[in-house]
Amino acid sequence: MEESTINGAGAPGRDPYHQNAVVAPIRPDIDLTDKRPLIRLGADLKPNVDAAIDGLANDPELYQRDALLVRVTHAAGDEAPVIRPHTVATLRVRLAEFCRFQRFEKKKDDGGEWVNALPPDTVTKAVIEQASWPGARSLVGVVESPFARPDLTIVDGPARFDEVTGFLYRPTGEFPKVREHVTQERAAAALRFAWVGLCYDFPFRGMGYADDPHGADADGLLRFSEAVKHPDAWGVIAAIMTLIARPAITGSIPAIVFDASTPGSGKGLQADLVSIVASGRMPGKLTWPNRGTETNAEVEKMLQGEARSGATITVLDEITGAFGGPAINNVLTGEGWAKFRILGLGETHKLRWSSVLLGTGNNISFADNTHRRILLPRLEPPEERPEEHKGFRHADLKGWARENRPRLVAALLTVLRGYACAGRPETDLPIMGGFESWSALIPRAIRWAGGGDVLGCRPTVDPEARNEEMDAMALIMASLARLQPSDGTGLTMGAYLNLLYPADRLRGEYDRSIPDPHDDAREAIESITRAKSGRKPDAKPLGDRLKVWKKRPIGAMQFERVVVDRNGSAKWTVAPVKK
């Protein structure tokens, strides 16, 4: 008995070119044990396309994402997995593997017969252009370490697609099994292991460097106990836990931006460690494009590329100028989705955003309302040249992280599993507005297991912070008003800082007993730019803050940017508020 087929006329077993003719039997050399659906090509395209889509439902490597048929690829070498849309060429290969195509070959003698054929472009293109593909699994992202589901059960073991979360699990390494039932004591021990191993050596704000990592504090408990009091010490742990719990978090996730008071402090190393533990590889860093008014457009292009490729970790490196803007806010508050403009067209596409956004920079300032959407763990080394510091717990911290990656992942999953077993108890930490799901899980799990308050390193921790900045800007405004030229031409921030920090002052050759009307302004500037006391700050972060406060009334006065000189430096002046 001849098997059921689909042909272009929409009827089984009929020749689409000779509607009244009976189709010749299939050639005897065709394998009748082949279980792939048989598609006989003809003039009616729709049944062929429908049958092809049905056949592709058997392809375990076919997914749909953002209204596209996609596949997951790995570039040569140690590269992250990339989600790519299928092309006509790549989909033809999959169609040929999961469907049998035949075309009718006419013969002079007996009318003709059905012969095997490759999937034609007409069918392949039509399949690609469909709006949806029943049977093709919807892919959210790719995870390369065991991860937590929304109920905090753990996905581990062999590679597979997780139907519950929509994430493809492709482990890069072998990982120990996480216990189903975890006590608070075991979770606390796991958190200490991870923190001491990864974070012990960093000069977090208020902590400096460790005194004796191989002596009195060989087990790391003394420094761990100190770290519990310092929010900046928990950025790395929070970032890794966010990545391995990403499928468990519904809604938006804040950016974690590693800040430092001076180059060479280790901010980039922190981002490296997060990626090494979560994925097994160094991150592909994107350099922050400080291009003035064009910065946001450049950032949007980069983030759109990350969204399309299904990136898990996005690291914006060497941030200068004001961090943030509409493009950053778009991905941080879109609850897993973001809209991007199509270059050259007046259209936007809504794309899935499953990446965790990290950043690195020195003395970072912020644009717009981005400060409400990030954590800013900060390093403040006490040494002038931190890159020359010696006496670390791990001489090769990245090497140690690679070697111990399976244990580190298991340890932080143990914390999450323990928190679930305890019933996700509330702690003394608040919920972060706009990031409710994330802040109810990651910061509270860390706190419950005996860690610090990572929410404490938000740029504005309390309602008074904005008023404090206004007070600081008022002091700067009064100082600038005293020093600016009387003709209203203004001062660049470089020129202003040169007046505040003359050479004799920087050398300490001045009379401290004489009151200086600019002392309060210097203190305010050093606070805003996070410069070390007594050293001349960099003009750029100060100028970036003035941009935020431009034409905002502070009392009866406001900052105004009057002109940009030929070198691209803005000149600022203080003027009465215009009514």
Side-chain angles (χ1 to χ4, degrees):
M1 180 177 179
E2 188 174 335
E3 62 186 299
S4 176
T5 65
I6 294 291
N7 65 32
R14 304 293 298 178
D15 177 3
Y17 301 103
H18 301 81
Q19 294 296 316
N20 298 319
V22 176
V23 177
I26 300 174
R27 289 166 41 184
D29 61 329
I30 293 176
D31 182 9
L32 294 178
T33 65
D34 193 334
K35 300 300 182 183
R36 295 175 299 169
L38 176 61
I39 302 173
R40 289 182 168 175
L41 301 169
D44 192 353
L45 184 60
K46 187 177 185 305
N48 293 161
V49 172
D50 292 343
I53 292 174
D54 289 343
L56 286 173
N58 298 314
D59 184 353
E61 297 180 7
L62 184 76
Y63 306 94
Q64 55 182 312
R65 189 176 192 266
D66 296 335
L68 296 171
L69 271 180
V70 299
R71 57 204 168 99
V72 178
T73 67
H74 278 273
D78 186 29
E79 297 293 332
V82 177
I83 299 174
R84 301 185 188 278
H86 267 293
T87 64
V88 172
T90 60
L91 191 61
R92 284 186 78 186
V93 174
R94 308 311 293 173
L95 282 169
E97 183 172 351
F98 290 93
C99 301
R100 280 193 299 158
F101 288 86
Q102 291 184 346
R103 58 180 174 80
F104 190 77
E105 190 174 272
K106 296 179 182 179
K107 300 285 187 180
K108 289 184 178 180
D109 299 334
D110 58 3
E113 62 181 352
W114 290 98
V115 297
N116 289 334
L118 291 174
D121 281 356
T122 51
V123 172
T124 307
K125 290 177 180 178
V127 170
I128 287 176
E129 292 297 325
Q130 299 299 300
S132 63
W133 301 266
R137 295 169 295 184
S138 294
L139 179 64
V140 176
V142 184
V143 182
E144 297 179 278
S145 61
F147 65 86
R149 293 186 178 118
D151 63 357
L152 297 187
T153 56
I154 307 302
V155 174
D156 55 12
R160 65 187 186 276
F161 179 79
D162 184 51
E163 299 284 353
V164 174
T165 62
F167 279 82
L168 175 62
Y169 173 51
R170 280 192 174 182
T172 50
E174 296 184 5
F175 297 86
K177 191 81 173 175
V178 176
R179 296 189 180 198
E180 184 176 352
H181 299 287
V182 176
T183 64
Q184 188 173 18
E185 182 181 9
R186 182 174 291 277
L191 181 64
R192 286 195 298 272
F193 164 73
W195 189 91
V196 171
L198 291 170
C199 305
Y200 188 97
D201 286 328
F202 289 99
F204 300 108
R205 175 167 42 188
M207 292 183 64
Y209 288 110
D211 293 328
D212 193 8
H214 301 291
D217 195 26
D219 59 5
L221 294 184
L222 292 176
R223 190 156 171 85
F224 178 87
S225 299
E226 179 69 13
V228 173
K229 308 171 190 174
H230 296 275
D232 299 273
W234 296 94
V236 170
I237 296 297
I240 297 171
M241 288 180 67
T242 299
L243 282 158
I244 61 178
R246 180 65 186 91
I249 300 168
T250 57
S252 301
I253 291 176
I256 300 178
V257 182
F258 297 106
D259 187 30
S261 60
T262 187
S265 303
K267 61 189 182 299
L269 176 57
Q270 291 183 99
D272 293 343
L273 293 175
V274 172
S275 181
I276 287 170
V277 175
S279 71
R281 66 175 61 82
M282 289 282 288
K285 297 178 180 178
L286 302 171
T287 302
W288 178 257
N290 187 20
R291 299 187 181 179
T293 57
E294 300 298 319
T295 297
N296 187 70
E298 290 298 316
V299 170
E300 183 176 10
K301 291 176 190 176
M302 293 193 301
L303 296 179
Q304 184 173 173
E306 295 289 281
R308 290 189 183 280
S309 67
T312 302
I313 308 171
T314 298
V315 180
L316 298 173
D317 195 32
E318 298 297 339
I319 296 169
T320 57
F323 174 70
I328 294 290
N329 296 342
N330 180 30
V331 300
L332 292 181
T333 58
E335 299 191 349
W337 297 90
K339 281 189 175 182
F340 296 98
R341 291 172 295 175
I342 303 174
L343 192 63
L345 300 175
E347 302 176 7
T348 60
H349 274 189
K350 186 177 181 181
L351 302 179
R352 187 177 290 279
W353 178 263
S354 56
S355 187
V356 175
L357 186 62
L358 307 180
T360 71
N362 296 313
N363 303 308
I364 295 171
S365 60
F366 307 98
D368 299 328
N369 290 315
T370 304
H371 66 280
R372 298 189 296 105
R373 300 176 172 104
I374 74 165
L375 302 181
L376 193 71
R378 180 171 168 82
L379 300 177
E380 289 186 351
E383 302 173 356
E384 187 172 347
R385 295 182 178 178
E387 67 274 11
E388 297 178 1
H389 180 81
K390 292 179 172 52
F392 292 113
R393 189 178 189 87
H394 299 298
D396 178 11
L397 184 52
K398 286 192 282 191
W400 184 89
R402 288 189 182 96
E403 182 180 349
N404 290 275
R405 180 187 173 224
R407 293 179 63 201
L408 290 164
V409 170
L412 295 178
L413 285 173
T414 295
V415 174
L416 291 167
R417 188 70 203 130
Y419 187 58
C421 291
R424 303 194 190 195
E426 290 189 8
T427 66
D428 58 343
L429 303 186
I431 292 295
M432 186 175 176
F435 304 94
E436 289 80 5
S437 175
W438 176 86
S439 57
L441 178 60
I442 302 302
R444 290 185 173 186
I446 293 172
R447 191 68 156 172
W448 170 83
D453 172 16
V454 72
L455 292 178
C457 63
R458 287 177 290 170
T460 53
V461 180
D462 58 70
E464 300 300 321
R466 197 65 175 170
N467 293 333
E468 290 175 8
E469 183 173 350
M470 179 179 286
D471 292 342
M473 297 309 294
L475 293 171
I476 296 169
M477 179 178 285
S479 170
L480 179 59
R482 290 189 190 101
L483 296 175
Q484 67 187 7
S486 59
D487 60 3
T489 55
L491 288 171
T492 66
M493 285 299 97
Y496 170 55
L497 290 171
N498 286 338
L499 293 172
L500 285 183
Y501 295 86
D504 58 347
R505 185 179 187 87
L506 294 174
R507 292 193 299 267
E509 300 172 355
Y510 66 98
D511 189 348
R512 291 178 172 81
S513 65
I514 301 176
D516 187 326
H518 299 285
D519 280 343
D520 289 342
R522 291 188 189 94
E523 184 177 345
I525 291 169
E526 289 163 9
S527 174
I528 287 173
T529 62
R530 301 189 177 184
K532 290 187 177 179
S533 178
R535 294 188 184 179
K536 185 170 72 172
D538 185 15
K540 183 153 191 52
L542 179 57
D544 289 335
R545 291 318 299 160
L546 261 64
K547 290 178 187 176
V548 174
W549 287 89
K550 183 179 69 172
K551 293 189 175 180
R552 291 188 183 183
I554 301 177
M557 307 298 284
Q558 64 186 16
F559 290 108
E560 291 186 0
R561 189 162 61 166
V562 292
V563 71
V564 177
D565 68 18
R566 64 183 63 186
N567 296 319
S569 300
K571 288 188 176 182
W572 292 88
T573 186
V574 176
V577 175
K578 297 176 181 177
K579 296 182 179 180

